[in-house]
Amino acid sequence: MMRRPDPTVWGEADGPFTTDQVAAYDAKGFHIEDGLLTPAQVQTCWTEFERLAADPRVDASGAVVRERGSDAVRSIFAVHRYSRVIDALARTPRILDRARQILGSDVYIHQSRINAMPGMVGTGFGWHSDFETWHAEDGLPAPRTVSLSIALTDNFAFNGGLMLMPGAHRVFVPCVGETPDDNFRESLQKQKAGVPSDDAVTELGFEYGIEQFTGAAGAALFFDSNSMHASSNNITPYSRANVFLVFNSVENAPLAPFGAESPRPNYIADRDTTPLVPIRDTEFA
Ligand code: AKG
């Protein structure tokens, strides 16, 4: 394990986060904002999720990942490409200005997805840092991204709410082994390459502890790309669906992958680095 050489907050740009919130994000690697979306806006996004999940063209594109051993939708990728609503969501000032504030530059979307975590059959995501994969397989040079997870259903402690290790984003954990060709075909259902060893997770867990993102639908979690995070299986009847938007700095454009033969497809790791153009808040939903 090594201390991360890069900052978490890039520059001192103004924005919706207060100075204290920026300092806490810097120290913990994440920030929770209750009520980022209104109930009506959540409903609009949920309707989009149902529409995309039923669209055969989206399915045929490969963007829909299903749970192992069941037909239930686990993830839909590139939702900002398939949905005008999600595209507009990403460009609302309350979201875009926060991403720009943390990253100190213009931003574009590196990845978007809805993780459905369906009731009874939703399977969790083992401990990992996203930056490991985004560096090795997508070619992002530095951890200069901020991820946003917005709850489309209530996120409880018991229905697969995301767990994070506060402060562990400052440690980079190199993962053992090589990335197999087309690793994403398996890793999006269950990640095996690019994950830290049990010993590394144990050490970090005892040093940093674990907190959890819980909140009513509409709550949001902003988190750093090197945050150590995971979720448990959802064995409750209550689905835990979240929309994820990953903002990358335009100054951190992807290069050739650092640890894989070829980059992942565009619907998983977008290589169009055109800066997002803001909209007015009233233009969204
Ligand atoms: C990821 O998208 O990298 C996650 O870890 C998502 C975890 C979740 O949805 O519970």
Side-chain angles (χ1 to χ4, degrees):
M1 297 196 216
M2 58 187 91
R3 298 302 297 177
R4 154 198 186 139
D6 311 277
T8 305
V9 176
W10 297 70
E12 293 174 5
D14 282 338
F17 285 129
T18 65
T19 309
D20 285 352
Q21 288 173 336
V22 171
Y25 181 91
D26 193 28
K28 291 172 71 167
F30 60 89
H31 167 83
I32 294 170
E33 186 79 28
D34 284 320
L36 187 76
L37 297 192
T38 64
Q41 290 167 336
V42 169
Q43 184 56 51
T44 304
C45 293
W46 179 261
T47 304
E48 278 300 277
F49 166 61
E50 290 189 320
R51 183 181 69 76
L52 295 173
D55 186 336
R57 283 165 308 174
V58 180
D59 204 8
S61 75
V64 180
V65 178
R66 296 182 189 277
E67 291 290 348
R68 272 166 293 145
S70 110
D71 220 24
V73 172
R74 172 173 174 78
S75 303
I76 304 178
F77 279 86
V79 286
H80 70 295
R81 296 280 181 206
Y82 290 120
S83 162
R84 281 175 192 226
V85 170
I86 305 296
D87 171 61
L89 172 70
R91 295 187 289 115
T92 54
R94 79 190 96 157
I95 290 176
L96 187 52
D97 289 352
R98 283 182 165 93
R100 288 166 154 180
Q101 186 178 7
I102 296 294
L103 301 180
S105 69
D106 273 331
V107 300
Y108 72 96
I109 294 187
H110 170 65
Q111 183 185 89
S112 72
R113 68 204 282 190
I114 292 174
N115 281 351
M117 191 70 88
M120 308 305 293
V121 296
T123 53
F125 293 74
W127 288 104
H128 65 282
S129 132
D130 292 325
F131 180 62
E132 166 72 31
T133 302
W134 296 344
H135 185 63
E137 297 185 40
D138 302 340
L140 294 196
R144 193 171 175 181
T145 77
V146 58
S147 301
L148 168 64
S149 167
I150 307 175
L152 299 184
T153 61
D154 294 346
N155 283 209
F156 299 109
F158 48 73
N159 67 344
L162 199 73
M163 300 177 278
L164 307 103
M165 294 184 183
H169 66 296
R170 291 192 164 155
V171 180
F172 181 70
V173 186
C175 299
V176 286
E178 292 194 0
T179 310
D181 287 349
D182 286 348
N183 179 44
F184 68 92
R185 295 193 194 283
E186 182 170 353
S187 70
L188 300 180
Q189 282 189 322
K190 183 172 171 42
Q191 193 175 356
K192 291 186 189 143
V195 290
S197 66
D198 287 355
D199 284 350
V201 172
T202 303
E203 193 177 325
L204 290 175
F206 279 104
E207 180 161 356
Y208 293 98
I210 296 173
E211 293 184 18
Q212 198 173 25
F213 169 41
T214 58
L221 166 77
F222 292 84
F223 63 110
D224 177 80
S225 61
N226 196 44
S227 229
M228 189 56 73
H229 62 284
S231 53
S232 305
N233 294 346
N234 184 7
I235 58 167
T236 75
Y238 316 118
S239 291
R240 193 236 67 188
N242 290 50
V243 54
F244 286 79
L245 301 170
V246 178
F247 299 93
N248 186 32
S249 166
V250 294
E251 294 167 15
N252 191 40
L255 306 173
F258 288 84
E261 279 297 309
S262 43
R264 296 192 296 175
N266 242 36
Y267 67 86
I268 301 175
D270 211 318
R271 298 183 88 81
D272 176 355
T273 63
T274 311
L276 292 184
V277 177
I279 60 167
R280 280 192 300 275
D281 215 36
T282 46
E283 288 176 75
F284 168 65

PDB file of all heavy atoms in Angstrom, residues 198-229:
ATOM      1  N   ASP A 198      -7.808  -9.737   0.929  1.00  0.00           N
ATOM      2  CA  ASP A 198      -8.520  -9.710   2.217  1.00  0.00           C
ATOM      3  C   ASP A 198      -7.645  -9.074   3.298  1.00  0.00           C
ATOM      4  O   ASP A 198      -8.135  -8.351   4.171  1.00  0.00           O
ATOM      5  CB  ASP A 198      -8.900 -11.139   2.648  1.00  0.00           C
ATOM      6  CG  ASP A 198     -10.055 -11.691   1.803  1.00  0.00           C
ATOM      7  OD1 ASP A 198     -10.595 -10.935   0.976  1.00  0.00           O
ATOM      8  OD2 ASP A 198     -10.385 -12.879   1.979  1.00  0.00           O
ATOM      9  N   ASP A 199      -6.335  -9.348   3.248  1.00  0.00           N
ATOM     10  CA  ASP A 199      -5.429  -8.774   4.261  1.00  0.00           C
ATOM     11  C   ASP A 199      -5.424  -7.252   4.167  1.00  0.00           C
ATOM     12  O   ASP A 199      -5.452  -6.554   5.186  1.00  0.00           O
ATOM     13  CB  ASP A 199      -4.001  -9.300   4.051  1.00  0.00           C
ATOM     14  CG  ASP A 199      -3.863 -10.733   4.549  1.00  0.00           C
ATOM     15  OD1 ASP A 199      -4.803 -11.218   5.221  1.00  0.00           O
ATOM     16  OD2 ASP A 199      -2.835 -11.359   4.259  1.00  0.00           O
ATOM     17  N   ALA A 200      -5.390  -6.733   2.941  1.00  0.00           N
ATOM     18  CA  ALA A 200      -5.366  -5.270   2.772  1.00  0.00           C
ATOM     19  C   ALA A 200      -6.672  -4.661   3.282  1.00  0.00           C
ATOM     20  O   ALA A 200      -6.674  -3.642   3.993  1.00  0.00           O
ATOM     21  CB  ALA A 200      -5.149  -4.918   1.302  1.00  0.00           C
ATOM     22  N   VAL A 201      -7.801  -5.297   2.954  1.00  0.00           N
ATOM     23  CA  VAL A 201      -9.101  -4.767   3.409  1.00  0.00           C
ATOM     24  C   VAL A 201      -9.174  -4.811   4.942  1.00  0.00           C
ATOM     25  O   VAL A 201      -9.652  -3.874   5.589  1.00  0.00           O
ATOM     26  CB  VAL A 201     -10.265  -5.570   2.783  1.00  0.00           C
ATOM     27  CG1 VAL A 201     -11.597  -5.159   3.396  1.00  0.00           C
ATOM     28  CG2 VAL A 201     -10.296  -5.368   1.275  1.00  0.00           C
ATOM     29  N   THR A 202      -8.668  -5.909   5.515  1.00  0.00           N
ATOM     30  CA  THR A 202      -8.699  -6.047   6.979  1.00  0.00           C
ATOM     31  C   THR A 202      -7.878  -4.936   7.632  1.00  0.00           C
ATOM     32  O   THR A 202      -8.338  -4.274   8.573  1.00  0.00           O
ATOM     33  CB  THR A 202      -8.147  -7.432   7.377  1.00  0.00           C
ATOM     34  OG1 THR A 202      -8.927  -8.431   6.709  1.00  0.00           O
ATOM     35  CG2 THR A 202      -8.232  -7.651   8.878  1.00  0.00           C
ATOM     36  N   GLU A 203      -6.693  -4.717   7.098  1.00  0.00           N
ATOM     37  CA  GLU A 203      -5.818  -3.684   7.672  1.00  0.00           C
ATOM     38  C   GLU A 203      -6.479  -2.301   7.579  1.00  0.00           C
ATOM     39  O   GLU A 203      -6.539  -1.548   8.556  1.00  0.00           O
ATOM     40  CB  GLU A 203      -4.496  -3.704   6.909  1.00  0.00           C
ATOM     41  CG  GLU A 203      -3.401  -2.921   7.596  1.00  0.00           C
ATOM     42  CD  GLU A 203      -2.077  -3.034   6.819  1.00  0.00           C
ATOM     43  OE1 GLU A 203      -1.788  -4.097   6.227  1.00  0.00           O
ATOM     44  OE2 GLU A 203      -1.357  -2.021   6.813  1.00  0.00           O
ATOM     45  N   LEU A 204      -7.012  -2.008   6.411  1.00  0.00           N
ATOM     46  CA  LEU A 204      -7.651  -0.697   6.229  1.00  0.00           C
ATOM     47  C   LEU A 204      -8.900  -0.570   7.104  1.00  0.00           C
ATOM     48  O   LEU A 204      -9.158   0.482   7.691  1.00  0.00           O
ATOM     49  CB  LEU A 204      -8.043  -0.494   4.757  1.00  0.00           C
ATOM     50  CG  LEU A 204      -6.901  -0.293   3.762  1.00  0.00           C
ATOM     51  CD1 LEU A 204      -7.449  -0.236   2.340  1.00  0.00           C
ATOM     52  CD2 LEU A 204      -6.126   0.983   4.071  1.00  0.00           C
ATOM     53  N   GLY A 205      -9.660  -1.663   7.188  1.00  0.00           N
ATOM     54  CA  GLY A 205     -10.899  -1.628   7.971  1.00  0.00           C
ATOM     55  C   GLY A 205     -10.647  -1.317   9.435  1.00  0.00           C
ATOM     56  O   GLY A 205     -11.398  -0.559  10.065  1.00  0.00           O
ATOM     57  N   PHE A 206      -9.583  -1.924   9.978  1.00  0.00           N
ATOM     58  CA  PHE A 206      -9.283  -1.658  11.397  1.00  0.00           C
ATOM     59  C   PHE A 206      -8.685  -0.271  11.581  1.00  0.00           C
ATOM     60  O   PHE A 206      -8.876   0.355  12.612  1.00  0.00           O
ATOM     61  CB  PHE A 206      -8.379  -2.753  11.969  1.00  0.00           C
ATOM     62  CG  PHE A 206      -9.174  -3.980  12.357  1.00  0.00           C
ATOM     63  CD1 PHE A 206      -9.174  -5.117  11.577  1.00  0.00           C
ATOM     64  CD2 PHE A 206      -9.978  -3.960  13.494  1.00  0.00           C
ATOM     65  CE1 PHE A 206      -9.934  -6.235  11.917  1.00  0.00           C
ATOM     66  CE2 PHE A 206     -10.745  -5.065  13.847  1.00  0.00           C
ATOM     67  CZ  PHE A 206     -10.721  -6.207  13.058  1.00  0.00           C
ATOM     68  N   GLU A 207      -7.960   0.194  10.579  1.00  0.00           N
ATOM     69  CA  GLU A 207      -7.351   1.521  10.728  1.00  0.00           C
ATOM     70  C   GLU A 207      -8.373   2.647  10.528  1.00  0.00           C
ATOM     71  O   GLU A 207      -8.384   3.625  11.255  1.00  0.00           O
ATOM     72  CB  GLU A 207      -6.195   1.679   9.737  1.00  0.00           C
ATOM     73  CG  GLU A 207      -5.551   3.046   9.890  1.00  0.00           C
ATOM     74  CD  GLU A 207      -4.163   3.143   9.308  1.00  0.00           C
ATOM     75  OE1 GLU A 207      -3.640   2.130   8.827  1.00  0.00           O
ATOM     76  OE2 GLU A 207      -3.619   4.269   9.341  1.00  0.00           O
ATOM     77  N   TYR A 208      -9.259   2.483   9.559  1.00  0.00           N
ATOM     78  CA  TYR A 208     -10.129   3.613   9.186  1.00  0.00           C
ATOM     79  C   TYR A 208     -11.584   3.457   9.615  1.00  0.00           C
ATOM     80  O   TYR A 208     -12.335   4.412   9.640  1.00  0.00           O
ATOM     81  CB  TYR A 208     -10.067   3.837   7.667  1.00  0.00           C
ATOM     82  CG  TYR A 208      -8.715   4.323   7.213  1.00  0.00           C
ATOM     83  CD1 TYR A 208      -7.763   3.439   6.693  1.00  0.00           C
ATOM     84  CD2 TYR A 208      -8.358   5.658   7.341  1.00  0.00           C
ATOM     85  CE1 TYR A 208      -6.511   3.884   6.299  1.00  0.00           C
ATOM     86  CE2 TYR A 208      -7.103   6.115   6.945  1.00  0.00           C
ATOM     87  CZ  TYR A 208      -6.189   5.218   6.433  1.00  0.00           C
ATOM     88  OH  TYR A 208      -4.955   5.674   6.050  1.00  0.00           O
ATOM     89  N   GLY A 209     -12.017   2.242   9.925  1.00  0.00           N
ATOM     90  CA  GLY A 209     -13.418   2.044  10.284  1.00  0.00           C
ATOM     91  C   GLY A 209     -14.310   2.077   9.045  1.00  0.00           C
ATOM     92  O   GLY A 209     -13.838   2.228   7.920  1.00  0.00           O
ATOM     93  N   ILE A 210     -15.601   1.889   9.279  1.00  0.00           N
ATOM     94  CA  ILE A 210     -16.561   1.821   8.167  1.00  0.00           C
ATOM     95  C   ILE A 210     -17.756   2.716   8.480  1.00  0.00           C
ATOM     96  O   ILE A 210     -18.289   2.677   9.594  1.00  0.00           O
ATOM     97  CB  ILE A 210     -17.029   0.360   7.949  1.00  0.00           C
ATOM     98  CG1 ILE A 210     -15.853  -0.525   7.515  1.00  0.00           C
ATOM     99  CG2 ILE A 210     -18.154   0.302   6.908  1.00  0.00           C
ATOM    100  CD1 ILE A 210     -16.172  -2.003   7.426  1.00  0.00           C
ATOM    101  N   GLU A 211     -18.154   3.508   7.499  1.00  0.00           N
ATOM    102  CA  GLU A 211     -19.409   4.277   7.610  1.00  0.00           C
ATOM    103  C   GLU A 211     -20.308   3.844   6.457  1.00  0.00           C
ATOM    104  O   GLU A 211     -19.869   3.133   5.556  1.00  0.00           O
ATOM    105  CB  GLU A 211     -19.135   5.780   7.571  1.00  0.00           C
ATOM    106  CG  GLU A 211     -18.373   6.260   8.796  1.00  0.00           C
ATOM    107  CD  GLU A 211     -18.172   7.771   8.845  1.00  0.00           C
ATOM    108  OE1 GLU A 211     -18.885   8.506   8.134  1.00  0.00           O
ATOM    109  OE2 GLU A 211     -17.282   8.197   9.584  1.00  0.00           O
ATOM    110  N   GLN A 212     -21.551   4.273   6.499  1.00  0.00           N
ATOM    111  CA  GLN A 212     -22.482   3.811   5.468  1.00  0.00           C
ATOM    112  C   GLN A 212     -23.312   4.967   4.932  1.00  0.00           C
ATOM    113  O   GLN A 212     -23.667   5.887   5.682  1.00  0.00           O
ATOM    114  CB  GLN A 212     -23.401   2.740   6.054  1.00  0.00           C
ATOM    115  CG  GLN A 212     -24.081   1.913   4.978  1.00  0.00           C
ATOM    116  CD  GLN A 212     -24.856   0.738   5.543  1.00  0.00           C
ATOM    117  OE1 GLN A 212     -25.279   0.779   6.693  1.00  0.00           O
ATOM    118  NE2 GLN A 212     -25.056  -0.289   4.738  1.00  0.00           N
ATOM    119  N   PHE A 213     -23.605   4.883   3.630  1.00  0.00           N
ATOM    120  CA  PHE A 213     -24.511   5.857   3.014  1.00  0.00           C
ATOM    121  C   PHE A 213     -25.936   5.315   3.140  1.00  0.00           C
ATOM    122  O   PHE A 213     -26.309   4.386   2.429  1.00  0.00           O
ATOM    123  CB  PHE A 213     -24.131   6.067   1.549  1.00  0.00           C
ATOM    124  CG  PHE A 213     -25.152   6.847   0.753  1.00  0.00           C
ATOM    125  CD1 PHE A 213     -25.802   7.964   1.292  1.00  0.00           C
ATOM    126  CD2 PHE A 213     -25.454   6.486  -0.554  1.00  0.00           C
ATOM    127  CE1 PHE A 213     -26.736   8.681   0.555  1.00  0.00           C
ATOM    128  CE2 PHE A 213     -26.386   7.193  -1.302  1.00  0.00           C
ATOM    129  CZ  PHE A 213     -27.036   8.295  -0.744  1.00  0.00           C
ATOM    130  N   THR A 214     -26.691   5.914   4.039  1.00  0.00           N
ATOM    131  CA  THR A 214     -28.119   5.607   4.134  1.00  0.00           C
ATOM    132  C   THR A 214     -28.868   6.935   3.998  1.00  0.00           C
ATOM    133  O   THR A 214     -28.323   7.994   4.286  1.00  0.00           O
ATOM    134  CB  THR A 214     -28.491   4.945   5.479  1.00  0.00           C
ATOM    135  OG1 THR A 214     -28.103   5.821   6.532  1.00  0.00           O
ATOM    136  CG2 THR A 214     -27.806   3.594   5.649  1.00  0.00           C
ATOM    137  N   GLY A 215     -30.109   6.841   3.557  1.00  0.00           N
ATOM    138  CA  GLY A 215     -30.891   8.069   3.429  1.00  0.00           C
ATOM    139  C   GLY A 215     -32.145   7.810   2.619  1.00  0.00           C
ATOM    140  O   GLY A 215     -32.259   6.789   1.926  1.00  0.00           O
ATOM    141  N   ALA A 216     -33.070   8.733   2.724  1.00  0.00           N
ATOM    142  CA  ALA A 216     -34.325   8.621   1.967  1.00  0.00           C
ATOM    143  C   ALA A 216     -34.041   8.837   0.486  1.00  0.00           C
ATOM    144  O   ALA A 216     -33.045   9.480   0.115  1.00  0.00           O
ATOM    145  CB  ALA A 216     -35.317   9.656   2.471  1.00  0.00           C
ATOM    146  N   ALA A 217     -34.925   8.301  -0.359  1.00  0.00           N
ATOM    147  CA  ALA A 217     -34.799   8.536  -1.794  1.00  0.00           C
ATOM    148  C   ALA A 217     -34.605  10.029  -2.036  1.00  0.00           C
ATOM    149  O   ALA A 217     -35.285  10.861  -1.423  1.00  0.00           O
ATOM    150  CB  ALA A 217     -36.057   8.039  -2.507  1.00  0.00           C
ATOM    151  N   GLY A 218     -33.650  10.350  -2.903  1.00  0.00           N
ATOM    152  CA  GLY A 218     -33.309  11.760  -3.147  1.00  0.00           C
ATOM    153  C   GLY A 218     -32.010  12.169  -2.474  1.00  0.00           C
ATOM    154  O   GLY A 218     -31.398  13.173  -2.842  1.00  0.00           O
ATOM    155  N   ALA A 219     -31.580  11.371  -1.478  1.00  0.00           N
ATOM    156  CA  ALA A 219     -30.292  11.658  -0.826  1.00  0.00           C
ATOM    157  C   ALA A 219     -29.156  11.310  -1.779  1.00  0.00           C
ATOM    158  O   ALA A 219     -29.326  10.494  -2.694  1.00  0.00           O
ATOM    159  CB  ALA A 219     -30.158  10.844   0.457  1.00  0.00           C
ATOM    160  N   ALA A 220     -27.995  11.926  -1.553  1.00  0.00           N
ATOM    161  CA  ALA A 220     -26.885  11.740  -2.486  1.00  0.00           C
ATOM    162  C   ALA A 220     -25.564  11.583  -1.752  1.00  0.00           C
ATOM    163  O   ALA A 220     -25.351  12.167  -0.690  1.00  0.00           O
ATOM    164  CB  ALA A 220     -26.805  12.934  -3.433  1.00  0.00           C
ATOM    165  N   LEU A 221     -24.716  10.802  -2.351  1.00  0.00           N
ATOM    166  CA  LEU A 221     -23.363  10.576  -1.832  1.00  0.00           C
ATOM    167  C   LEU A 221     -22.372  11.011  -2.906  1.00  0.00           C
ATOM    168  O   LEU A 221     -22.430  10.524  -4.043  1.00  0.00           O
ATOM    169  CB  LEU A 221     -23.177   9.074  -1.555  1.00  0.00           C
ATOM    170  CG  LEU A 221     -21.746   8.587  -1.323  1.00  0.00           C
ATOM    171  CD1 LEU A 221     -21.278   8.964   0.096  1.00  0.00           C
ATOM    172  CD2 LEU A 221     -21.644   7.074  -1.506  1.00  0.00           C
ATOM    173  N   PHE A 222     -21.498  11.938  -2.574  1.00  0.00           N
ATOM    174  CA  PHE A 222     -20.381  12.289  -3.452  1.00  0.00           C
ATOM    175  C   PHE A 222     -19.155  11.561  -2.905  1.00  0.00           C
ATOM    176  O   PHE A 222     -18.871  11.665  -1.706  1.00  0.00           O
ATOM    177  CB  PHE A 222     -20.124  13.803  -3.417  1.00  0.00           C
ATOM    178  CG  PHE A 222     -21.233  14.624  -4.035  1.00  0.00           C
ATOM    179  CD1 PHE A 222     -22.354  14.978  -3.290  1.00  0.00           C
ATOM    180  CD2 PHE A 222     -21.151  15.054  -5.351  1.00  0.00           C
ATOM    181  CE1 PHE A 222     -23.373  15.741  -3.851  1.00  0.00           C
ATOM    182  CE2 PHE A 222     -22.170  15.820  -5.924  1.00  0.00           C
ATOM    183  CZ  PHE A 222     -23.279  16.162  -5.175  1.00  0.00           C
ATOM    184  N   PHE A 223     -18.427  10.833  -3.746  1.00  0.00           N
ATOM    185  CA  PHE A 223     -17.250  10.142  -3.209  1.00  0.00           C
ATOM    186  C   PHE A 223     -16.093  10.085  -4.197  1.00  0.00           C
ATOM    187  O   PHE A 223     -16.273  10.111  -5.415  1.00  0.00           O
ATOM    188  CB  PHE A 223     -17.603   8.750  -2.660  1.00  0.00           C
ATOM    189  CG  PHE A 223     -18.134   7.731  -3.641  1.00  0.00           C
ATOM    190  CD1 PHE A 223     -17.371   6.634  -4.021  1.00  0.00           C
ATOM    191  CD2 PHE A 223     -19.415   7.839  -4.165  1.00  0.00           C
ATOM    192  CE1 PHE A 223     -17.859   5.672  -4.897  1.00  0.00           C
ATOM    193  CE2 PHE A 223     -19.913   6.892  -5.063  1.00  0.00           C
ATOM    194  CZ  PHE A 223     -19.130   5.811  -5.425  1.00  0.00           C
ATOM    195  N   ASP A 224     -14.922  10.025  -3.603  1.00  0.00           N
ATOM    196  CA  ASP A 224     -13.668  10.052  -4.355  1.00  0.00           C
ATOM    197  C   ASP A 224     -13.431   8.711  -5.057  1.00  0.00           C
ATOM    198  O   ASP A 224     -13.813   7.656  -4.536  1.00  0.00           O
ATOM    199  CB  ASP A 224     -12.531  10.334  -3.359  1.00  0.00           C
ATOM    200  CG  ASP A 224     -11.183  10.318  -4.014  1.00  0.00           C
ATOM    201  OD1 ASP A 224     -10.832  11.334  -4.642  1.00  0.00           O
ATOM    202  OD2 ASP A 224     -10.476   9.298  -3.914  1.00  0.00           O
ATOM    203  N   SER A 225     -12.732   8.757  -6.203  1.00  0.00           N
ATOM    204  CA  SER A 225     -12.539   7.519  -6.985  1.00  0.00           C
ATOM    205  C   SER A 225     -11.647   6.507  -6.284  1.00  0.00           C
ATOM    206  O   SER A 225     -11.657   5.338  -6.652  1.00  0.00           O
ATOM    207  CB  SER A 225     -11.929   7.851  -8.345  1.00  0.00           C
ATOM    208  OG  SER A 225     -10.674   8.467  -8.164  1.00  0.00           O
ATOM    209  N   ASN A 226     -10.867   6.962  -5.295  1.00  0.00           N
ATOM    210  CA  ASN A 226     -10.016   5.987  -4.586  1.00  0.00           C
ATOM    211  C   ASN A 226     -10.600   5.599  -3.224  1.00  0.00           C
ATOM    212  O   ASN A 226      -9.919   4.994  -2.400  1.00  0.00           O
ATOM    213  CB  ASN A 226      -8.592   6.539  -4.428  1.00  0.00           C
ATOM    214  CG  ASN A 226      -7.610   5.447  -4.067  1.00  0.00           C
ATOM    215  OD1 ASN A 226      -7.649   4.360  -4.654  1.00  0.00           O
ATOM    216  ND2 ASN A 226      -6.759   5.695  -3.089  1.00  0.00           N
ATOM    217  N   SER A 227     -11.856   5.936  -3.003  1.00  0.00           N
ATOM    218  CA  SER A 227     -12.531   5.531  -1.759  1.00  0.00           C
ATOM    219  C   SER A 227     -12.677   4.014  -1.739  1.00  0.00           C
ATOM    220  O   SER A 227     -13.067   3.417  -2.739  1.00  0.00           O
ATOM    221  CB  SER A 227     -13.938   6.139  -1.771  1.00  0.00           C
ATOM    222  OG  SER A 227     -14.203   6.768  -0.587  1.00  0.00           O
ATOM    223  N   MET A 228     -12.378   3.394  -0.613  1.00  0.00           N
ATOM    224  CA  MET A 228     -12.569   1.946  -0.489  1.00  0.00           C
ATOM    225  C   MET A 228     -14.041   1.733  -0.127  1.00  0.00           C
ATOM    226  O   MET A 228     -14.509   2.246   0.895  1.00  0.00           O
ATOM    227  CB  MET A 228     -11.632   1.426   0.603  1.00  0.00           C
ATOM    228  CG  MET A 228     -11.546  -0.065   0.706  1.00  0.00           C
ATOM    229  SD  MET A 228     -11.063  -0.905  -0.825  1.00  0.00           S
ATOM    230  CE  MET A 228      -9.322  -0.520  -0.942  1.00  0.00           C
ATOM    231  N   HIS A 229     -14.784   1.004  -0.961  1.00  0.00           N
ATOM    232  CA  HIS A 229     -16.222   0.873  -0.722  1.00  0.00           C
ATOM    233  C   HIS A 229     -16.736  -0.501  -1.138  1.00  0.00           C
ATOM    234  O   HIS A 229     -16.070  -1.222  -1.891  1.00  0.00           O
ATOM    235  CB  HIS A 229     -17.007   1.987  -1.424  1.00  0.00           C
ATOM    236  CG  HIS A 229     -16.869   1.998  -2.914  1.00  0.00           C
ATOM    237  ND1 HIS A 229     -15.756   2.466  -3.561  1.00  0.00           N
ATOM    238  CD2 HIS A 229     -17.703   1.594  -3.899  1.00  0.00           C
ATOM    239  CE1 HIS A 229     -15.910   2.358  -4.869  1.00  0.00           C
ATOM    240  NE2 HIS A 229     -17.089   1.812  -5.101  1.00  0.00           N
TER     241      HIS A 229
END
